[in-house]
Every structure is written in structure tokens, then in C-alpha cells.
Amino acid sequence: MNPDPRGRRIFVRPVGPVDDAIVRRLRREIGRYFGEAVEELGAMEIPEGSFDPKRNQHHSTAILKAVLSDVPAGALRVLGIVDRDLCIPILTFVFGEAQLGGTVALVSLARLRQEFYGLPPDPPLFFDRLRKESLHELGHTFGLIHCRLPDCVMYLSNTIRDVDRKGRELCRNCRESLLAKMEGGRS
């Protein structure tokens, strides 16, 4: 897939401290999926005011807005990566958030790690989860909504088990919809 014939690029932006090896691997995974190099933007600070001490979590929308405030010219999409537990007011937690049909998405590493659940680290499982959730949130930026097929990466994940059960790719219908949006310039 070539996301934009006009040469616009996808970027990954760490928000707060994120291991460089994670960012590099994620860039390669996203690049393989979309068929082009994905670039890294310099890390930005976690925005003040995003932390909710009552919940011991960060509000994802505040971080998403901060990433949106610094989108480089020529960016097709920007995926923010944060190593903090995220929430929105109406949900206990979120794995990520995205602008539906917009430019920016955000993924949290926190609940994708086995250690969050008191289990030993499992790097292959962590990266599989990160890839799925990153493609899921980027899919939203291209206008894709949640898919009813549990094998599709756009399937809604309410729990980590949902993330593990869903597939690693878009289903045929979601893939066709993504291609049509990208080729039609409506992305």
C-alpha cells in the first residue's frame, strides 16, 4: 500500500520517554504495512494537566491535542506513542485514541505489556499488541470505524484478551475501504 501518491509521510512521535528500540521497530512495522518508510519526530513532553491523580492515569484527549498542535507540514498521519496508562472520562481505560478521519492518533504502551497484569515480560506478544493497536488507531484516522469481524485489526478491543484474539490485518472490506479513501484523496 502506498498511503499517499503526493509524497506525504507517516510519522511516529514519542510523547514522554519511550524506548528507542520500540519506536524503531514500530516504524518498521507500520512502514511494512503501508509500503513506505515511516519517520520519527522528536519526542515531545507529556502535556501538563493531562494527569488525573484521582485515577492515576493520563487523559488521552489532552495528549492527542498536544500531538495535533505540532504536526509537521507534509504529514499524512502522526502516531503518538506514550508509555503511560490512558483514560477518557467515560471509560476506565483506553489503549489509544484517534481523530476519526483526522491526522493524529495515539497509542499507550502501558496495558500492552504483560508486566501491567503482574506477568513476566513477553516482548514478542507486546510488539504484536502494539502493531495491532497502532494499525487500529491509524485506521481510524483514515475514517475506518470498528469492524464487526473479530479477525480484523479494526475490531473493538475492550480488554487485552480482545487485542490478543483479533487478527493482525484489516479484513477485506476494511482494506478495500482504506484503499478507496487513500486513492480518492478523502483521507
Side-chain angles (χ1 to χ4, degrees):
M1 244 185 265
N2 185 355
D4 193 318
R6 296 165 295 222
R8 296 188 298 161
R9 299 174 306 266
I10 296 174
F11 293 92
V12 173
R13 166 160 269 159
V15 181
V18 176
D19 185 320
D20 288 338
I22 292 171
V23 175
R24 280 192 309 272
R25 183 160 178 192
L26 181 60
R27 285 177 47 215
R28 284 192 309 268
E29 290 291 328
I30 294 170
R32 274 190 217 123
Y33 191 80
F34 286 102
E36 71 167 41
V38 174
E39 296 183 37
E40 179 180 352
L41 293 171
M44 67 186 312
E45 296 295 318
I46 295 172
E48 285 189 39
S50 68
F51 184 68
D52 183 340
K54 291 178 186 171
R55 294 178 70 161
N56 196 31
Q57 293 174 300
H58 288 264
H59 288 276
S60 59
T61 306
I63 298 172
L64 193 72
K65 286 179 182 177
V67 175
L68 181 61
S69 73
D70 192 22
V71 172
L76 177 63
R77 298 294 185 268
V78 177
L79 176 65
I81 303 298
V82 64
D83 205 354
R84 298 288 191 275
D85 194 22
L86 299 178
C87 66
I88 59 174
I90 63 168
L91 293 175
T92 306
F93 74 92
V94 292
F95 293 113
E97 184 177 350
Q99 296 178 294
L100 185 62
T103 305
V104 175
L106 178 68
V107 174
S108 167
L109 305 178
R111 290 179 186 253
L112 302 179
R113 297 178 190 281
Q114 285 289 81
E115 302 93 291
F116 185 87
Y117 307 96
L119 299 168
D122 186 339
L125 180 60
F126 167 75
F127 280 109
D128 187 56
R129 290 169 172 172
L130 178 57
R131 180 186 182 280
K132 288 177 186 180
E133 290 309 298
S134 296
L135 292 177
H136 178 96
E137 296 303 340
L138 284 169
H140 285 317
T141 68
F142 286 103
L144 299 181
I145 58 173
H146 290 138
C147 183
R148 70 186 192 320
L149 300 176
D151 288 343
C152 181
V153 79
M154 291 308 299
Y155 188 75
L156 174 65
S157 296
N158 287 315
T159 68
I160 198 65
R161 287 187 177 135
D162 293 334
V163 175
D164 291 342
R165 278 192 293 256
K166 72 179 172 182
R168 300 184 78 237
E169 307 291 333
L170 294 171
C171 69
R172 191 182 96 248
N173 288 338
C174 288
R175 187 174 49 253
E176 288 173 2
S177 179
L178 176 65
L179 288 171
K181 289 171 188 287
M182 291 186 323
E183 290 171 3
R186 294 185 305 269
S187 60

